Amino acid sequence: MGEHDVAAVAQLRLATFFEGTGRTLGEDAAGLRGLIAGDGFEAAFVARIGDTPVGTCLLVRHELEPVHDLTPWLAGLVVDARYRRRGIATALVKATEAHAASRGVEMLHLYTWDARDFYAALGWNTVEISGSDGEKMALMSRRPRL
């Protein structure tokens, strides 16, 4: 991801993950800038159609509040609703996995609330289900591949 993608990706992430949380566009953009300016281990991938960013996925060291001491994480996978069911999410997951494998990651983790079947079809294994009141969260893991 380059600087020219940050605003569009932050807007997509804000609408998908942070609606009603009080998180601002500026806060998410700053977080993305910090990620891409880091040491190269963490990464942000962007899918584009033409010049338009339509999806993103991150490799991060830490995800959510530390419920587990696991690291690293595939996080923030989102594809604009207008561009779904075209293989974009799968391509983003594979790019994230390949980057993780190239950095020597032996096990990659993610949390999902409603995409367990999608990830399972890509070879991810459910490790744990937690939550209550219909908000079931799955912790999944996978050995990344180049």
Side-chain angles (χ1 to χ4, degrees):
M1 173 185 325
E3 176 60 34
H4 59 282
D5 294 319
V6 170
V9 168
Q11 184 64 49
L12 182 59
R13 287 172 40 80
L14 203 63
T16 304
F17 301 119
F18 303 111
E19 184 83 22
T21 67
R23 185 175 177 111
T24 68
L25 183 63
E27 289 169 339
D28 200 64
L32 290 169
R33 286 185 184 100
L35 185 85
I36 61 178
D39 61 9
F41 178 84
E42 294 183 303
F45 297 92
V46 177
R48 290 181 195 82
I49 294 185
D51 291 333
T52 304
V54 298
T56 187
C57 190
L58 310 176
L59 175 68
V60 297
R61 285 186 175 94
H62 306 287
E63 173 68 334
L64 303 176
E65 291 298 317
V67 176
H68 297 281
D69 59 355
L70 303 172
T71 189
W73 297 84
L74 182 147
L77 173 64
V78 60
V79 175
D80 184 308
R82 296 170 292 179
Y83 299 97
R84 292 183 184 158
R85 304 215 179 272
R86 299 183 189 189
I88 295 168
T90 297
L92 285 164
V93 169
K94 288 182 178 182
T96 306
E97 289 178 358
H99 177 77
S102 76
R103 297 297 191 259
V105 171
E106 293 183 19
M107 189 63 71
L108 193 54
H109 312 280
L110 65 81
Y111 283 122
T112 184
W113 284 261
D114 55 9
R116 192 171 24 171
D117 291 341
F118 167 77
Y119 289 110
L122 296 177
W124 288 76
N125 298 305
T126 301
V127 175
E128 178 181 296
I129 303 288
S130 60
S132 60
D133 299 329
E135 291 292 319
K136 299 288 185 191
M137 178 173 65
L139 168 63
M140 301 182 82
S141 295
R142 174 180 167 85
R143 294 192 184 284
R145 297 189 178 126
L146 287 173

